[in-house]
Structures are given as structure tokens and as C-alpha cells.
Amino acid sequence: MIRMSLKILGTRGEIEETSEKHKKHSGILIEDVLFDLGEPIYLDLHPKAIFLSHLHPDHYFPEKDKKEENPLREHSKIPIYSIEKPRGAENWIKLKKGKEYKVGNLTVIPIPTVHSKKVKTTGFLIKTKGKRILYTSDLLWIKKKWHDKIKNLDLVITDGSSFDKDLIRRDKETGQPYGHASVKKLVKFFKDKGAKNIIITHYGKWLVEDPKKGYIKIKELTDEKTKVIPAKDGDEFSLEELITTKEIKPLVPKVIAKVEPKWGL
């Protein structure tokens, strides 16, 4: 049996703090397709295509230095799929919500998300070898009209900016909320939708400054139906091996992080 390779390249959100296993910004490689480009070194993997969730600098590194005229250099002709056109992309494909895009063994469907006031955002429903994966990227919520498409997922990869407090702001004119939902809220949401496995990534200070404590808090969310996994830079998974099992939860007191994470909106 050919196994599907999934690698978490970077797990750090848009924060200054780093730790040994949380230095790199967002990037997920599924087979030879890259989802988000938070670091230039990811281009050395020679992905067949790149799908961008949104154009914040921790998800598309050329946004960090807009003076660079050709940020992608010799990689500028790699097909880049996104809602808005990224700087430096010579081979850009504009995403349409709900449309299927076939790249190699993957079928990728953009699922609109609510996160940012400044840029448009999307998650990706990825189908391959009979499995269904949702990569949400940064997330406040997903509108109800899309909920039927994200039921009974084999795997969800989602936002770890804050553990138990939503990070929400509102537009002064429209009142529209934007920001990040907490890990606890997102895990409950996807559990209720029947997700078998949930990987948490894109961390704020709460985990990066004390990873061991953060890992315990995330693993405590595992139950008999859903396994919840804290990601680290470079973690590699075979989807076939992500089997939900009962886990013994560590007998430690829950500690709430006192320092709130920063986030890019």
C-alpha cells in the first residue's frame, strides 16, 4: 500500500518568540503539494503547486519585505493558487470557492473562512486516496452553508493561536468580527462534526513559551472518538497511521497561560 505523506513544516504564528520545535512559520506539505509558504526554504522542496490560504506574511513570506522585486526568484513559475494575487507569482491561478482543483493525486476544494479584515481567507478541503483532510489555516469560523462539506473528516489541521480565549476584534463601521477562535472552541466544533483526528498548529505565545505544558493541554482534549495532536516543526505523518485510540490523560492541573499571543489580522 502506498502511504500518503503529510509533513508539518512550520508551526509558529506571527509572533517574535520561538522555541526549539517552533521556529518556522506556516507550511504543510501533502505529498508534493505545498499549503502556505511561510518560509523561503520551503521552495527548496520543489512543490508541484502551492495553495495559499491568505496573504499574511506568516503564510506567504514575500509579504514581509515588499521591497524585494522578485521574492520567489527561480521558483516564480510554480503554480500558485490563491484568492488574491500574491507578489512575485508569475503563474497565478485565482481560486473560486467550492471549485475542485486537481493536482497530482490531490483534489483541493477552497472552503471560505472568516479570519481577517484586511485580506480574503480560505481553508482547503483535500481529498486523496479515499481520505478527506481540512486545512483551515487561521480561523475564527466557517459559515453554516459550508458545514455539510466538512462533516466526518479523517483529519483537521487547524489554528492554535490561543488555547481557551477567542481573539476577536470588530470592524468599527460594520461590526463584523475577525480574528482567531480558541483551540478549545475549534476542537469542540470539529468534534461535533465528526472529525477523527485534529492536528493543532500555528501557535501563539501560550505554547511557544512553554511547549511541554502546551502539549499536555492539547492532548487532554483527546477522547474516545477524536485524537487531538500538537504539531511541531518537521512532524511527518502517514494518514493511514492516524488511528483514533483512547489515551490516558495526564493527571496534571490545568494551567491557563497568562500571556496572550499576538496575531496578524
Side-chain angles (χ1 to χ4, degrees):
M1 179 177 63
I2 299 174
R3 293 184 174 183
M4 189 205 73
S5 172
L6 183 153
K7 191 166 186 178
I8 309 293
L9 303 175
T11 58
R12 180 165 66 102
E14 184 64 8
I15 58 174
E16 295 178 0
E17 292 75 12
T18 66
S19 56
E20 183 181 358
K21 297 293 185 181
H22 307 288
K23 294 180 180 178
K24 296 177 181 176
H25 291 304
S26 295
I28 295 172
L29 190 70
I30 301 180
E31 295 191 336
D32 53 1
V33 178
L34 181 62
F35 294 85
D36 282 342
L37 182 57
E39 303 286 348
I41 195 172
Y42 300 162
L43 293 169
D44 293 342
L45 299 169
H46 303 288
K48 181 178 290 185
I50 300 170
F51 286 82
L52 299 178
S53 62
H54 61 297
L55 298 182
H56 281 161
D58 56 327
H59 295 264
Y60 186 60
F61 76 86
E63 291 298 313
K64 295 176 185 176
D65 182 7
K66 295 188 177 182
K67 294 180 181 179
E68 175 65 61
E69 293 183 3
N70 186 19
L72 302 181
R73 296 186 171 87
E74 69 270 21
H75 304 285
S76 62
K77 294 187 178 180
I78 295 174
I80 296 184
Y81 297 76
S82 60
I83 304 171
E84 298 174 298
K85 187 171 184 179
R87 286 190 331 104
E90 294 182 14
N91 189 3
W92 174 56
I93 297 94
K94 181 178 176 62
L95 289 173
K96 295 182 180 179
K97 56 188 178 182
K99 180 179 177 179
E100 292 191 354
Y101 296 86
K102 181 78 174 176
V103 181
N105 293 322
L106 306 187
T107 299
V108 182
I109 304 170
I111 302 293
T113 58
V114 176
H115 161 57
S116 176
K117 172 184 176 181
K118 297 179 180 179
V119 299
K120 296 179 180 179
T121 62
T122 187
F124 297 106
L125 177 60
I126 303 144
K127 300 179 181 180
T128 182
K129 298 182 175 67
K131 304 295 184 180
R132 298 166 65 247
I133 304 164
L134 179 68
Y135 170 50
T136 72
S137 186
D138 301 6
L139 183 63
L140 181 57
W141 74 56
I142 297 171
K143 292 183 178 180
K144 287 186 178 180
K145 66 176 290 186
W146 298 99
H147 287 191
D148 284 346
K149 290 187 177 294
I150 58 173
K151 290 181 178 178
N152 303 315
L153 295 164
D154 294 288
L155 173 63
V156 175
I157 306 169
T158 195
D159 189 354
S161 295
S162 175
F163 183 72
D164 56 5
K165 294 182 180 179
D166 296 341
L167 305 177
I168 300 177
R169 294 180 180 178
R170 290 186 180 274
D171 185 279
K172 292 181 180 179
E173 296 181 0
T174 66
Q176 179 69 30
Y178 55 98
H180 304 257
S182 69
V183 169
K184 291 180 74 173
K185 179 174 285 187
L186 292 173
V187 166
K188 182 181 185 305
F189 173 76
F190 288 115
K191 279 183 177 181
D192 290 345
K193 293 289 180 287
K196 299 177 180 68
N197 300 277
I198 302 173
I199 292 176
I200 306 298
T201 184
H202 189 274
Y203 298 119
K205 284 184 181 181
W206 72 274
L207 184 135
V208 173
E209 291 188 330
D210 193 345
K212 289 184 179 180
K213 186 181 292 183
Y215 301 157
I216 290 171
K217 292 169 75 171
I218 290 172
K219 289 178 179 179
E220 285 183 326
L221 299 175
T222 290
D223 59 25
E224 65 277 4
K225 293 183 179 179
T226 307
K227 188 172 184 178
V228 187
I229 305 163
K232 309 175 190 68
D233 291 2
D235 274 356
E236 191 164 4
F237 301 91
S238 167
L239 187 60
E240 292 80 4
E241 294 174 354
L242 283 172
I243 301 171
T244 302
T245 56
K246 291 185 179 180
E247 290 189 351
I248 299 174
K249 298 180 180 180
L251 298 175
V252 295
K254 294 187 176 182
V255 179
I256 305 301
K258 295 181 179 180
V259 182
E260 290 296 331
K262 291 164 58 179
W263 65 96
L265 302 175

